[in-house]
């Protein structure tokens, strides 16, 4: 978009969210565009870009609000959520990989491993693979063949097949 929008509804074309900031008390929050348009209407304002802010309340309801609005284009939200996904997957894999490294000599059914398996669930979309890791992590007594290496490889492989951004050190 070139220049500021003329109307809140112009932002629909770029699927934006809007950051509402009160420069008086520094409170800030992000609104979905449609919800903000409804809010402005409910507060008796109109959605003209330059006047809409007068019909938006301070996120902290402070006594002397000065509201400014900033569009957040879809592209930026998307980049942020991609980076978040990347971190969730690779931090979880790192926990599982390190646990697998210890697993030939000790049980590794720790709370961290449980958490990592839960985090990966929506990305792996195969509960069986995660259950296999947990079983290998907790079985007693330990033997060299009870390690988590194979379950780990299956999980990492599955993520890569599904197009997840698996960092090189976490690849099987
Ligand atoms: Zn305020």
């Amino acid at each position: 978009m070139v220049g500021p929008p003329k109307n809140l509804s112009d932002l629909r074309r770029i699927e934006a969210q809007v950051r509402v900031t009160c420069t008086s008390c520094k409170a800030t929050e992000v609104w979905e565009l449609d919800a903000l348009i409804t809010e402005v209407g409910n507060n008796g304002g109109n959605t003209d870009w330059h006047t809409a802010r007068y019909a938006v309340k301070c996120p902290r309801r402070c006594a002397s609000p000065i509201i400014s609005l900033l569009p957040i284009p879809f592209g930026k939200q998307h980049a942020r959520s991609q980076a978040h996904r990347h971190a969730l997957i690779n931090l979880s894999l790192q926990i599982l990989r390190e646990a697998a490294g210890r697993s030939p000599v000790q049980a590794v059914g720790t709370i961290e491993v449980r958490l990592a398996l839960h985090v990966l669930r929506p990305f792996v979309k195969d509960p069986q693979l995660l259950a296999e890791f947990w079983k290998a992590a907790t079985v007693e007594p330990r033997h060299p063949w009870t390690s988590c290496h194979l379950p780990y490889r299956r999980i990492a492989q599955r993520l890569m097949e599904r197009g997840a951004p698996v960092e090189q050190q976490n690849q099987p």
Side-chain angles (χ1 to χ4, degrees), residues 101-119:
R102 299 190 306 274
S103 65
V105 291
Q106 63 180 122
V108 291
T110 63
I111 192 105
E112 291 84 356
V113 165
R114 269 184 77 187
L115 177 61
L117 292 170
H118 275 285
V119 167

Side-chain angles (χ1 to χ4, degrees), residues 22-27 58-67:
C22 174
T23 51
S24 172
C25 72
K26 312 284 181 232
C58 167
R60 213 179 277 157
R61 304 284 190 271
C62 73
S64 49
I66 305 169
I67 301 299

Side-chain angles (χ1 to χ4, degrees), residues 9-10 20 89 104 106 110 142 151 163:
S9 60
D10 292 344
V20 173
I89 289 172
Q106 63 180 122
T110 63
R142 306 303 294 177

Side-chain angles (χ1 to χ4, degrees), residues 7 22 55 64 73 91 95 110 155 166:
N7 194 288
C22 174
S64 49
L91 289 171
I95 288 171
T110 63
I155 290 170
V166 176

